[in-house]
Amino acid sequence: MFDDRYTLAYKRYPYKKSPDQDASAPVRHPVVVMGGGPIGIATALDLGLQGIPTLVLDDHEGVGMGSRAICFAKRCLEVADRYGCGEPMLEKGVVWNVGKVFHKDDKVFEFNLLPEEGHKYPAFINLQQPYYESYQLDRFEELQAQGAPIEIRGKNRIDNVEVHDDHVVLTVMTPDGEYTIEAEWLIGCDGASSPLREMLGYDFSGKVFQDSFLIADIKMKGDVDFPTERWFWFEPSHGEGASVLLHRQPDDVWRVDFQIGWDVDRKEELKEENIRRRLDAFLGGVEYDMVWSSIYTFQCKRMESFRHGRVFFAGDAAHQVSPFGARGANSGMQDVDNLGWKLGLVMAGKAPDALLDSYNFERIHGADENILNSTRSTDFITPKSAMSTLLRDSVLALSEHYEFARPMVNSGRLSVPCTYDGSPLNSADALDGPERTRPGSPCPDVPLGDEFLLSKLGNDFILLTIDTDAPESFEEDGITVKRLALSANNDPTNLLKERYLGEAESAVYLIRPDQHVAARRPSFDETQLRAAVRRATGKEQ
Amino acid sequence: MSDLILNPNINGVDDFYAELVATHEGLSDEESQALNARLLLVMANHIGDRAILSQALSAAALKSKE
Ligand SMILES: Cc1cc2nc3c(=O)[nH]c(=O)nc-3n(C[C@H](O)[C@H](O)[C@H](O)COP(=O)(O)OP(=O)(O)OC[C@H]3O[C@@H](n4cnc5c(N)ncnc54)[C@H](O)[C@@H]3O)c2cc1C
C-alpha cells in the first residue's frame, strides 16, 4: 500500500512508471535527492543549472497542504533569485516593516525595521510555504523544458539504502512495487524526521523544547482593516498561553500562532469550535474562515556531521530549530547554496573531495548560529525559572518607557545570512574594508543603474574589481575566474563604496559561486589570488 | 581595556544607600524584586561595556580571581 502521510495543496508530479523500474540491472544516477520539499527541489535547481543530472525521489506527488513556513528572509530569496524563481515570490509576498509588542493587555512598544536601501530583495517577505514550493517547481519545469537533466518522481519512497565507497544503492517503493537504483551521490532532504538518518543510524541530538503551538491560518471576511504588521503578545490576557503571534500572509490570510503549553489534548484542541473559541477571545467580533490549522512541537537539534562519505544531509533532515526567527527553510536554502557548487566542481574533477568537507564545516557553523539564536528567543518567550521570568518582565516593563530596553525584547531574531568566519576556504583579509564584506561573508546587494550587483555574481568564481586593474579572466588549475569591473566614482547611491570599499581606495574581491567572499585585497596580486582560488576550492590549506 | 571599579567610587555613599532603601519602602517583596531587576537593567545599559558587565556579573557572584 502507498498512503499519503499528508494532504496535498497542489499535485505537481503524479506517479508515472519509470523505465528504471523494468531495467534488468539497477540504473546508476549521478545524483539522487531524497525528498521533494523546498530544500530537495532547490538542490535540483542548483545542480540542474550546472547541467548535472539529478533525480529527485519524493514519497508524495506534490506540495503539501498547510503553510508551515511563512517568513522568507532576504538571503533565501537571493538564493532563489540565483535559481531563477525569486521574482514571483517577491511579487506574491507581503512585505512588512512595522511590528508591535504587547505584554498582557498593554502595548509596550512599536518598531519599524527601517529597511536598508539598495537591495533587490527586502529583509523578508511573508509567503505561504505552498506558494514558495510551487514557484520553485514552476522553475523546475521551466528548466526541464529548456533541457536541464533534472527529473522528479512522485510516490517514489526510498525504503532502504546501502552505502558503498563510491556509490549508494537505493531501494525505492512505488505503487507498482519496489525497484532498485544506484546513485553516485545521495543528498538527504527528507525533512525533520528524516528516514534516511534513521536508516543509517545517525544521531540527531539537542534540546527538545517542551511546548506546543496551535497555528491557525484564517481569512478575514468583509472589510477588515487589519494593518500589515507583526503583532506579538507576551502572556496575552485573552486566551491562555505564553505568547501569541499575528502575522499577515498573501490573499488576506492571517497566521495566528498560539503557544499553548506541553500538556495538551491535541485532538481536543484541534476541534474547530475550540480553535474558534481561542480566536474569538483574541480577535473580538471579527468574522473569518479557517484556512488551515495544526499543532506542532519543536526541537533545536542538529546532526553531528552533515556529510557521511557519499551521503549528504541538508535542510530539516540535518538541523531543526524553533520557529522563532524564521530559520528553518531559510537555513536549508543556504545549505543548498553552499553544497551545489562544491559538488559540481568535485564531480567535474576540478576540485578534490576535501572541498566537500567544507560543506560540513560551513553549514554546521550556520546551524549552530541558528540554534543559538532560536534557543535564546525561546528562553526569553518562555523563561525557565522565576528569576528569568522576573528579568524578562522587567525588560518588557522598561521597554514601554525607555528605548534602551527595546533591543533586549526577543520575540525571535529574524534570520540574517551566515558569515563563514574561520572557514578553511577563506584567505586572510588583506583589505582595510567594511566588516560586512570580510572573507566568508555573503555579498550584500548594491544597485547598479537599473540592475543589481548580485545578479552579476554567482554560479562561477568572479573577480570583482573596484577602481583597479586586473586581467579580464584567468584560470587556475581548471577553475576559471571572470572579472567584473566596477567603479565607485560615478555611483549616485555611494553604496558600492559603503559596502565594498569603506576606507579603501580600491578593492579586488574573489567571490565564490555561492556569492560569498573568498578573499579580498586592495589590488590584483596574481600569486595571492591564485592561492586564494586554490584555497577556496579545497586545494590548499 | 578598563577594569570594573571595585574600590569606593560613590560620593555621598550614605545618602545613596538611604535613597536605595527608601525607594523600596512600602513595596511588597514581589514589587521590590521587580524594582531591583529594573534597576539592574537600567544600570547595565548605562555601563554598556560588555567586558565590564561580565566582570560585574562575576564580582556579584563573589567569584574573585584570587
Ligand atoms: C509551523 C511551522 C512554521 C514554520 N515557519 C517557518 C518560517 O516562517 N520560515 C522558515 O524559513 N521556516 C519555517 N518553518 C520551517 C520550514 O517549514 C522547514 O524548514 C522546511 O519545510 C524544510 O524543508 P525540507 O525540504 O528540508 O523538509 P520538508 O519540507 O519536510 O520536506 C521533506 C520531503 O521529503 C519527503 N520524504 C520523506 N521521507 C521520504 C522518503 N523515505 N522517500 C522519499 N521522500 C521522502 C517528504 O514527503 C517531503 O516532501 C516552519 C515550520 C513549521 C512546522
Side-chain angles (χ1 to χ4, degrees), chain A residues 5-6 39 58-59 68-71 129 158 215 316 328-330:
Chain A
R5 287 177 292 116
Y6 49 81
I39 306 313
D58 189 59
D59 62 351
R68 291 183 294 160
I70 62 162
C71 200
Q129 184 164 335
I158 299 182
I215 300 182
D316 278 11
N330 288 312

Side-chain angles (χ1 to χ4, degrees), chain A residues 45 81 121 132 138 152 160 169 206 239 260 279 289 293 371 391-392 400 402 445 455 461 482 494 496 536:
Chain A
L45 295 179
D81 194 65
Y121 288 93
Y132 181 92
D138 291 346
I152 181 162
N160 193 48
V169 181
I260 58 174
L279 285 167
D289 287 321
S293 61
I371 289 173
L391 288 168
R392 195 280 305 273
E400 195 177 340
Y402 310 113
D445 216 350
S455 61
F461 274 91
K482 289 189 209 124
N494 205 38
L496 188 61

Side-chain angles (χ1 to χ4, degrees), chain A residues 331-380:
Chain A
S331 63
M333 286 298 282
Q334 292 177 64
D335 292 344
V336 177
D337 192 34
N338 192 287
L339 179 58
W341 66 273
K342 294 176 180 174
L343 188 56
L345 288 180
V346 171
M347 287 177 76
K350 292 181 176 178
D353 183 86
L355 178 61
L356 296 170
D357 290 331
S358 72
Y359 166 69
N360 194 49
F361 178 94
E362 295 186 332
R363 292 315 300 158
I364 282 199
H365 182 73
D368 285 348
E369 202 170 277
N370 282 321
I371 289 173
L372 178 72
N373 275 295
S374 75
T375 306
R376 286 177 171 174
S377 303
T378 306
D379 286 344
F380 192 87

Side-chain angles (χ1 to χ4, degrees), chain A residues 5-6 13 33-41 57-60 62 64 67-73 76 125-127 129 133 153 156-159 172 188-196 199 213 215 255 257 292 294 296-298 314-323 325-332 415:
Chain A
R5 287 177 292 116
Y6 49 81
Y13 35 89
V33 175
M34 178 170 178
I39 306 313
I41 298 300
L57 301 179
D58 189 59
D59 62 351
H60 289 68
S67 168
R68 291 183 294 160
I70 62 162
C71 200
F72 292 90
C76 175
I125 60 169
N126 284 0
L127 179 73
Q129 184 164 335
E133 294 190 43
R153 295 182 191 163
N156 270 242
R157 186 182 69 218
I158 299 182
D159 276 351
V172 185
C189 305
D190 51 340
S193 54
S194 175
L196 181 61
M199 288 173 210
F213 289 78
I215 300 182
R255 161 73 53 93
D257 202 335
W292 178 68
S294 157
Y296 71 98
T297 56
F298 66 79
D316 278 11
H319 44 73
Q320 239 209 318
V321 292
S322 80
R327 287 158 190 278
N330 288 312
S331 63
S415 167

Side-chain angles (χ1 to χ4, degrees), chain A residues 214-221 253 269-277 279 287-294:
Chain A
L214 171 70
I215 300 182
D217 280 352
I218 58 178
K219 193 162 180 141
M220 305 287 187
K221 281 193 196 164
V253 172
E269 287 288 352
L270 275 173
K271 283 186 181 156
E272 176 154 348
E273 72 226 50
N274 288 330
I275 300 179
R276 281 191 176 269
R277 184 179 43 75
L279 285 167
E287 295 250 328
Y288 54 85
D289 287 321
M290 305 271 300
V291 178
W292 178 68
S293 61
S294 157

